[in-house]
Amino acid sequence: MSLRPEKVFKRYDIRGEYPEELDEEFAERLGKALGTFTVSNYPEKVVACRDGKDSSKPLKDSLIEGLKSSGIEVIDVGVGPTDYTAWCGKREECVSVQVTSSHMPLNFNGFKLMYPEGNGFVNEDLYKVQDIFRDQEFISGEGKITEKRLIEKYRENILNFASNFNESFEKKIVFESMGGEARILPELLEEQGHEVIDISKEKRPYIDPPDPKAENLEGLKQKVKQEDADLGISNDLDADRITVYYRDRFLSGDEIFSILAQLVEGEIVASIDTSKALENFGEIEYTRVGDPFVMDRALEIDAELAGEPNGHYSFTEFVPYNSGILTALILSGLDLEEELSNIPDCSVERDSIPVEEKHQVIEALKEEFREDILSDLDGVKFSYGDAEVLVRPSGSSQKVRIIAESRDQKESEEALDSVRKVINQF
């Protein structure tokens, strides 16, 4: 087990290699730490769930033992996607925790912690749990385990919620779960009236990594073409991300966000790395990059839609957590060509650059482009000719990430290249 919790307590969740960096002993100790934190701040019960990966079962069992030892009532809701866990926690009005490695390689595993409202823990509270974990100042008590299998109620609710937006059905859809917890999606799509070709039925164990990026979805792409299907859909291991293949191309995360934005009338919260195209469909409030920051602000202002261009989207009334399953159900019932035609042309170019000290690079850019700064919410965003450029520090390594956006592809490419050269001079 890792003796350095800072190695596995990340910005948004807890994850590490199994069993080298986290194991059953780690999970039990985490349960004690989370239980101690929960007793001091929230009702004394916690929803626990896991994905279907082999290592997730013993980790969840050990987590539950740790929680129970702190006097917590553990509500075991079985196996399912992370938005199901968050939905259960919201229903039960308590903290929830999912055992999952999400889109990480399969030799990893981890834990996602959610508040009673359903949104993920922000850094401040995650660090409090980390401190309790490190110091081992645990409370003790006689907890209990209550089993509640709420997946059918979740299915019913998510279908009902999606029906508020649906316009047309009877599509032919190719689906790739990558072996993850979106495996319940084909039945839901069929209940909507679609024909579903599930190419992931025999994928146990899983695709590694279970990350629905275009380079991992060649099989989905080819099957859509072979079957002359209307749509291709894929999700990651815990089904909080979505990728869509439509009319011979993978839609960008910005395009999906703009499609969803056309369906709502309320406020929208987006991470600062989202395309400006979204602003054509409402007033947008931007946050730092990262799901906890997005969802925390969405709850503060009672936003209707929140998300990021990495495939994370949430209709907060259902649950303020990203749901690739709900997004799939909604998109499948739309005339996507119509919504796509409403999105203004824009070119977004992205790159990552290794640097010696990422924060020093950001400060140097602020000085270099001080007359053109548009935002310093997360890194620095500035005008560069007719383009806008965002440079922000990576959350996990000594890199900076660059996003250049313009209505013209050549302009965005030139801006990206020029800023890359500036950074390399520092």
Side-chain angles (χ1 to χ4, degrees):
M1 183 189 73
S2 170
L3 299 178
R4 296 172 55 198
E6 63 272 12
K7 287 190 67 176
V8 292
F9 279 80
K10 306 297 185 180
R11 291 181 67 190
Y12 316 128
D13 55 22
I14 301 163
R15 61 182 184 273
E17 290 189 63
Y18 174 87
E20 290 81 8
E21 293 181 326
L22 57 80
D23 59 5
E24 289 76 15
E25 182 184 352
F26 179 99
E28 183 172 354
R29 185 165 154 183
L30 175 63
K32 292 178 179 180
L34 179 59
T36 300
F37 173 84
T38 300
V39 167
S40 300
N41 296 278
Y42 297 103
E44 296 181 10
K45 56 183 179 177
V46 171
V47 161
C49 189
R50 66 175 175 88
D51 64 31
K53 195 166 61 170
D54 289 344
S55 64
S56 296
K57 185 181 187 306
L59 287 175
K60 179 188 167 191
D61 291 344
S62 298
L63 175 80
I64 287 175
E65 287 304 310
L67 286 165
K68 193 173 67 165
S69 73
S70 62
I72 291 288
E73 176 189 1
V74 183
I75 301 173
D76 184 351
V77 297
V79 181
T82 302
D83 73 309
Y84 162 65
T85 309
W87 180 87
C88 290
K90 180 180 177 183
R91 184 179 186 273
E92 298 292 325
E93 299 181 327
C94 66
V95 166
S96 60
V97 56
Q98 173 84 352
V99 182
T100 184
S101 56
S102 190
H103 62 286
M104 301 290 289
L106 293 181
N107 61 321
F108 280 71
N109 216 319
F111 307 85
K112 293 185 176 183
L113 314 182
M114 283 78 72
Y115 296 110
E117 294 82 5
N119 59 313
F121 272 33
V122 297
N123 290 357
E124 180 183 359
D125 286 330
L126 196 57
Y127 294 152
K128 288 178 182 177
V129 175
Q130 175 181 311
D131 289 342
I132 298 170
F133 180 99
R134 180 191 293 112
D135 299 337
Q136 300 191 63
E137 295 179 352
F138 308 133
I139 62 170
S140 61
E142 294 293 328
K144 64 178 182 177
I145 302 172
T146 303
E147 289 191 0
K148 288 188 178 182
R149 299 299 184 256
L150 301 171
I151 195 70
E152 290 304 319
K153 290 185 181 295
Y154 162 86
R155 288 163 59 103
E156 178 184 345
N157 274 260
I158 203 168
L159 275 173
N160 287 339
F161 191 89
S163 69
N164 295 320
F165 304 96
N166 293 144
E167 301 167 353
S168 61
F169 300 107
E170 299 184 359
K171 289 186 177 70
K172 182 187 283 189
I173 300 171
V174 177
F175 173 66
E176 170 62 90
S177 73
M178 310 197 89
E181 295 316 307
R183 64 180 186 271
I184 65 173
L185 182 55
E187 289 184 10
L188 297 175
L189 290 168
E190 287 170 352
E191 286 187 47
Q192 285 186 322
H194 304 293
E195 176 189 350
V196 182
I197 302 167
D198 185 356
I199 64 172
S200 54
K201 281 185 176 179
E202 298 179 0
K203 286 179 181 158
R204 299 273 177 179
Y206 315 83
I207 292 176
D208 191 8
D211 190 351
K213 292 182 177 180
E215 56 264 34
N216 298 329
L217 294 172
E218 185 62 27
L220 175 76
K221 174 181 173 181
Q222 295 304 322
K223 193 66 172 178
V224 169
K225 293 179 178 180
Q226 178 186 331
E227 296 288 341
D228 193 26
D230 300 293
L231 207 60
I233 293 172
S234 182
N235 303 99
D236 64 342
L237 189 67
D238 70 328
D240 68 340
R241 294 176 185 243
I242 186 171
T243 297
V244 176
Y245 188 75
Y246 177 69
R247 296 206 171 176
D248 299 322
R249 68 184 182 90
F250 287 97
L251 299 184
S252 72
D254 287 309
E255 287 177 309
I256 294 174
F257 208 165
S258 289
I259 290 170
L260 300 176
Q262 296 176 57
L263 308 179
V264 302
E265 297 180 356
E267 295 198 59
I268 300 171
V269 174
S271 55
I272 190 67
D273 59 338
T274 304
S275 168
K276 285 185 63 180
L278 195 67
E279 296 175 5
N280 287 268
F281 309 108
E283 291 293 323
I284 313 300
E285 178 152 346
Y286 293 102
T287 72
R288 293 173 59 188
V289 174
D291 168 65
F293 309 118
V294 174
M295 295 305 169
D296 188 52
R297 186 56 182 161
L299 286 175
E300 285 180 1
I301 68 171
D302 195 25
E304 188 174 351
L305 175 66
E308 302 177 88
N310 62 358
H312 283 160
Y313 314 101
S314 168
F315 287 81
T316 57
E317 184 181 345
F318 177 69
V319 67
Y321 199 89
N322 304 305
S323 176
I325 292 176
L326 179 58
T327 304
L329 292 171
I330 291 173
L331 292 176
S332 298
L334 298 177
D335 179 353
L336 293 180
E337 194 61 33
E338 179 180 346
E339 274 80 15
L340 285 168
S341 69
N342 295 328
I343 302 173
D345 292 335
C346 66
S347 171
V348 179
E349 300 294 326
R350 301 172 184 267
D351 195 10
S352 295
I353 302 178
V355 294
E356 289 187 10
E357 179 45 64
K358 56 190 175 183
H359 297 294
Q360 289 180 9
V361 169
I362 298 300
E363 292 307 311
L365 286 170
K366 287 180 180 179
E367 179 62 25
E368 181 78 17
F369 296 102
R370 60 185 179 277
E371 301 297 329
D372 304 300
I373 291 177
L374 302 170
S375 172
D376 60 358
L377 181 64
D378 190 346
V380 58
K381 188 174 188 178
F382 51 90
S383 298
Y384 192 93
D386 292 329
E388 291 186 1
V389 179
L390 170 68
V391 184
R392 51 176 294 272
S394 166
S396 58
S397 59
Q398 284 296 337
K399 294 180 180 179
V400 292
R401 308 195 187 282
I402 312 173
I403 303 173
E405 179 174 4
S406 173
R407 290 189 178 275
D408 181 79
Q409 182 176 355
K410 185 178 179 181
E411 288 176 350
S412 57
E413 289 175 349
E414 289 178 349
L416 183 75
D417 186 56
S418 296
V419 173
R420 186 191 295 117
K421 289 177 180 177
V422 171
I423 292 171
N424 287 333
Q425 292 174 356
F426 292 150

